[in-house]
Amino acid sequence: MKKEVKLIKKLNGLLKQLKYPGFLHHFGPKKFKFAQHCFALLMKEVLKCSFRRCSNILRMLGIKTPTYSALCKSRKRIPIQLWNSLLRLTAGFNHNSIAVDSTGFSRNSPSFHYVKRINCKKPVKSYAKLSAFFDLPTGKFTALKVRVKPRHDMKDINYLLRMSSPTEKLFGDSAYDAESLHKKCFELNIQTLIKPRKNAKKGFYRRKQMKNYSDEKSHQRSLIESGFGSLKRKYGGSVSGKKFKSVQTEIYCKAIAHNLGLS
């Protein structure tokens, strides 16, 4: 109980730093502040339950919580800028070494019994893609990009660099070995430690960045895989939202809960 109260106070402090108003809506009755909505959305991911069950559990604990229908509507209305700001505050600033990678969250979570009954031999390829920046020393997510359709990993790298750029090193696998990324990082004075693709030797900026490359250092990139594993083990590897805004909010709540150390 005390942890929940401390979390609400912490969320209020973070929102004060962002200078956001207590209520995001202008019209209608102002019964619940945004911090209460945000707290309930975070607890839904921590408890891995539905909106109705999360609302009932929090009320039984004596915590003033919006109804399940209000929570379902509010997650679609919260702007992405607010989630990005909360993610940056919980991750901190001045990230020296950042790893980049992508993973997928299932958009349907069928049981083994159901898959066996329908005689499904191939898995259903319906997932939400997450590209993320991961701070290696602190083990926190610094920037996210969510998609509901599969795209190449390089499509999201410019957005991630705008959201949170490392000050020294950027780690990545061979999917990010592109001349455009090497050039951009060289201009920003960032050393890329990206595993080179096979037979990829051309590129002025690639050769410059490869002078300081070593396989021993680049293996630190695997820590982001541990971060993805921790995220999915604690908060689930699937999302229940049907629309893009709902899926995006769920994944951001998982990452923010991970940065806050909620388990």
Side-chain angles (χ1 to χ4, degrees), residues 18 20 77-88 159 163 245 248 252:
L18 297 175
Y20 264 84
R77 297 172 180 171
I78 299 171
I80 185 61
Q81 293 82 3
L82 181 52
W83 291 123
N84 277 322
S85 300
L86 280 174
L87 186 72
R88 282 196 296 269
Y159 175 83
M163 292 296 104
K245 287 284 290 183
Q248 184 175 245
Y252 266 89

Side-chain angles (χ1 to χ4, degrees), residues 23 28 52 55 71 77 81 102 139 144 168 182 190 192-193 213 229 241 255:
F23 302 93
R52 190 191 297 267
S55 180
L71 290 174
R77 297 172 180 171
Q81 293 82 3
S102 61
L144 307 178
E168 293 182 8
H182 288 299
I190 299 170
T192 56
L193 291 165
Y213 173 81

Side-chain angles (χ1 to χ4, degrees), residues 102-205:
S102 61
T103 187
F105 285 85
S106 173
R107 298 187 66 183
N108 42 29
S109 184
S111 65
F112 177 78
H113 174 73
Y114 175 77
V115 173
K116 187 177 180 180
R117 283 294 300 271
I118 64 175
N119 196 22
C120 181
K121 296 181 180 179
K122 294 182 179 180
V124 181
K125 294 183 179 180
S126 175
Y127 65 94
K129 182 181 178 182
L130 168 65
S131 297
F133 269 4
F134 186 77
D135 191 323
L136 297 180
T138 61
K140 295 183 178 181
F141 292 95
T142 64
L144 307 178
K145 176 63 177 177
V146 180
R147 291 183 182 271
V148 292
K149 293 183 179 180
R151 297 294 299 276
H152 195 274
D153 294 344
M154 279 298 299
K155 293 289 183 181
D156 301 328
I157 193 68
N158 289 329
Y159 175 83
L160 294 173
L161 283 171
R162 287 199 304 271
M163 292 296 104
S164 176
S165 179
T167 58
E168 293 182 8
K169 299 175 184 177
L170 177 66
F171 296 80
D173 57 16
S174 56
Y176 297 94
D177 183 25
E179 177 69 8
S180 58
L181 178 57
H182 288 299
K183 179 181 179 181
K184 188 158 192 174
C185 290
F186 183 81
E187 292 172 350
L188 295 173
N189 199 22
I190 299 170
Q191 172 63 46
T192 56
L193 291 165
I194 298 173
K195 185 178 180 181
R197 291 183 285 113
K198 290 184 179 179
N199 302 323
K201 298 179 181 178
K202 293 183 179 180
F204 175 77
Y205 293 98

